[in-house]
Amino acid sequence: MSPTQSQTTTTGTRVPHPRLPRRSASRQLAEKVHAPRVSPTECAVIRRVGRGLVPQITDEILRQVAAYSRHPTQRRRDLITKAVASAVELYADVVENIPSDPEAVSAMYFAMGRGEALAERSLDGFRAAVDVATHRAAEAIRHEAEGLVPDDVRGTLCGSLLAYMGTLLDDVARGYAAGVRDREADPGWIRRRLVRGLAGAADAEVIGDLGARVGWQLPKAVVVCSVDTVIPLDSAERPVELPGGCVWDTAGRRALVVTDPADVDAVSAVMRGWPRTGPVFVTVPVPLADVPAAIRWTERARDLVESGVIPADPVVRCADHHVALLLNADPTLSRWEASEALAPLEAFKDEHRRAVLRTLRLWLLTGANASALAAELGIHEHTVRNHKLRLRAAFGSRLQDPEFVTLLLFALGAGESPAADWVELERCG
């Protein structure tokens, strides 16, 4: 590291070295990039050519960096234009031997690199843009300064310009490295990466390591909570405060919280108080491996709220809208719902379970009495009465709940059911 450059701690704090006089700093840069000495007249040509390239170089950076091109803003253009123009003026000052402030430009490019790291973007597009811009600038000096600057000086200028742009890219790379260190030491970034890893079904070892780094003991089951906020909460003045049994990602306008089921009421209460544009969506408990599916359930519930199928309550619990979600469900939810509905039948011995299932399905479909069911099933009426008695004991009052009955019929009539690993289902009728 040059004695004119600053160091950055892992917390992002700039720790400057004692500044050298401007002339000394400029001389060091001139020696580093092998800048030729030119006359004021020749330098005026170089400045004119460089200033004319500023808009082109800015456009190239905005085009090459994917995140910039997807979300162009005037503020971003202004910042990049300032950085490019400052670099042009510094180089012209150096070749003209005018005292200047290389540290200010170095700090600007350092900050750009650090910002890219904190935004979790690659430097590939930025490097490609600078490479194209550098060669374009060299070509402009060769052609536009022809006849105004001696040939040997123009050749030296082009080589020097390449070296100069290399020093700027070095500043960007140092800033990027500092940004990576800062973000990886930031608990908020680790939590975001953990939630995104869960959402993307990342390797269990990676999830375990990230959880350990923020002190999150991986629970056997979790609940996913989701809400759309007015602004990303990470940019709000007040920090997000949630119970210790959860992790969250509030960097975007769709906030996700993954919580221990024991904390779900406290979490949903906090989320209700956030500046939001819709309900808080809460799933049923799921294993960590099923977090991607749980997120899809919240998205489906959100769609159903927007279409008026589900009421827009402040907190929408997926457990309260099983049937609506099932009718618009994915296979993972269907398997889970069927397993939950049929769980009471686990109490039946294997040899009796098939017969009881046939009785249950036909009973729910027809509402027939024991005599009619016995005739349809081809079994004794006493057997049917015994089945119904045991089914009432297993399911309790839920057999009087129309929504649960619908759910149960779905599970019984699903053909290849998630319950097939412990019971053989047989269609009736």
Side-chain angles (χ1 to χ4, degrees):
M1 178 179 288
S2 163
T4 65
Q5 292 168 333
S6 301
Q7 292 179 326
T8 301
T9 69
T10 56
T11 60
T13 305
R14 301 279 291 182
V15 182
H17 288 286
R19 292 174 64 88
L20 296 174
R22 286 190 174 186
R23 183 174 294 279
S24 177
S26 299
R27 187 179 300 117
Q28 284 192 359
L29 179 59
E31 293 172 355
K32 184 175 183 179
V33 303
H34 307 291
R37 297 297 172 84
V38 299
S39 68
T41 301
E42 293 166 345
C43 190
V45 175
I46 295 169
R47 286 186 193 276
R48 176 177 58 78
V49 172
R51 288 169 179 170
L53 289 170
V54 169
Q56 297 179 41
I57 296 174
T58 299
D59 288 341
E60 190 67 30
I61 292 174
L62 290 170
R63 186 180 69 83
Q64 290 279 0
V65 180
Y68 296 174
S69 61
R70 286 196 300 268
H71 305 288
T73 65
Q74 187 59 46
R75 181 174 181 273
R76 178 172 286 142
R77 173 177 287 277
D78 291 344
L79 290 173
I80 294 173
T81 298
K82 179 181 178 181
V84 174
S86 298
V88 166
E89 295 302 322
L90 173 60
Y91 183 70
D93 288 345
V94 167
V95 297
E96 195 174 355
N97 198 26
I98 294 176
S100 53
D101 191 4
E103 286 188 9
V105 175
S106 175
M108 195 178 299
Y109 281 78
F110 182 98
M112 290 174 70
R114 183 170 180 271
E116 292 301 290
L118 295 178
E120 301 182 49
R121 292 191 285 261
S122 166
L123 283 182
D124 292 345
F126 193 89
R127 289 195 181 101
V130 171
D131 185 61
V132 170
T134 301
H135 286 86
R136 189 174 293 170
E139 286 298 310
I141 289 175
R142 288 192 186 97
H143 297 295
E144 296 186 35
E146 187 175 5
L148 301 174
V149 177
D151 291 348
D152 59 332
V153 175
R154 282 188 291 125
T156 305
L157 277 170
C158 290
S160 173
L161 180 62
L162 290 172
Y164 173 65
M165 297 302 286
T167 66
L168 296 179
L169 281 176
D170 287 345
D171 290 328
V172 171
R174 278 191 289 272
Y176 192 87
V180 169
R181 290 193 299 271
D182 289 347
R183 80 185 187 196
E184 292 188 351
D186 174 23
W189 181 83
I190 298 171
R191 279 192 295 266
R192 286 195 298 275
R193 187 177 172 194
L194 174 53
V195 172
R196 293 173 188 181
L198 289 168
D203 184 80
E205 186 175 345
V206 172
I207 296 300
D209 176 66
L210 291 170
R213 289 168 63 185
V214 290
W216 191 56
Q217 295 185 348
L218 304 188
K220 292 183 178 179
V222 293
V223 172
V224 174
C225 303
S226 173
V227 67
D228 287 347
T229 56
V230 176
I231 61 171
L233 296 184
D234 282 7
S235 63
E237 293 182 2
R238 293 176 55 190
V240 172
E241 295 181 0
L242 286 165
C246 62
V247 289
W248 60 90
D249 178 2
T250 53
R253 291 184 61 186
R254 179 157 294 174
L256 280 177
V257 180
V258 179
T259 181
D260 188 296
D263 294 325
V264 67
D265 289 338
V267 168
S268 60
V270 171
M271 295 176 74
R272 283 186 63 177
W274 289 350
R276 52 191 174 84
T277 60
V280 177
F281 295 92
V282 178
T283 72
V284 294
V286 296
L288 288 174
D290 283 343
V291 166
I295 292 173
R296 290 196 300 272
W297 303 343
T298 67
E299 292 169 353
R300 177 61 63 193
R302 183 177 285 105
D303 292 340
L304 295 177
V305 167
E306 291 176 355
S307 62
V309 175
I310 292 177
D313 298 325
V315 177
V316 173
R317 300 181 185 276
C318 293
D320 296 336
H321 303 284
H322 284 169
V323 173
L325 286 169
L326 277 169
L327 295 176
N328 300 273
D330 58 37
T332 302
L333 180 58
S334 297
R335 288 194 301 271
W336 185 90
E337 293 285 5
S339 294
E340 287 293 302
L342 296 172
L345 297 177
E346 291 179 356
F348 291 79
K349 294 181 179 180
D350 291 345
E351 60 267 26
H352 300 308
R353 195 176 294 140
R354 179 175 178 177
V356 170
L357 281 168
R358 295 178 71 236
T359 300
L360 174 62
R361 186 175 187 275
L362 190 59
W363 179 26
L364 294 178
L365 283 172
T366 65
N369 58 30
S371 176
L373 289 173
E376 180 70 24
L377 294 169
I379 59 178
H380 196 280
E381 182 176 334
H382 177 74
T383 302
V384 173
R385 294 185 188 280
N386 179 266
H387 287 176
K388 292 175 71 174
L389 185 66
R390 296 181 65 191
L391 287 168
R392 287 193 179 99
F395 287 99
S397 62
R398 286 184 295 174
L399 289 178
Q400 308 302 316
D401 181 353
E403 184 168 284
F404 179 76
V405 169
T406 302
L407 180 61
L408 195 54
L409 281 169
F410 168 84
L412 290 167
E416 285 298 316
S417 166
D421 59 345
W422 57 268
V423 64
E424 179 184 358
L425 292 181
E426 178 180 285
R427 293 183 181 275
C428 300

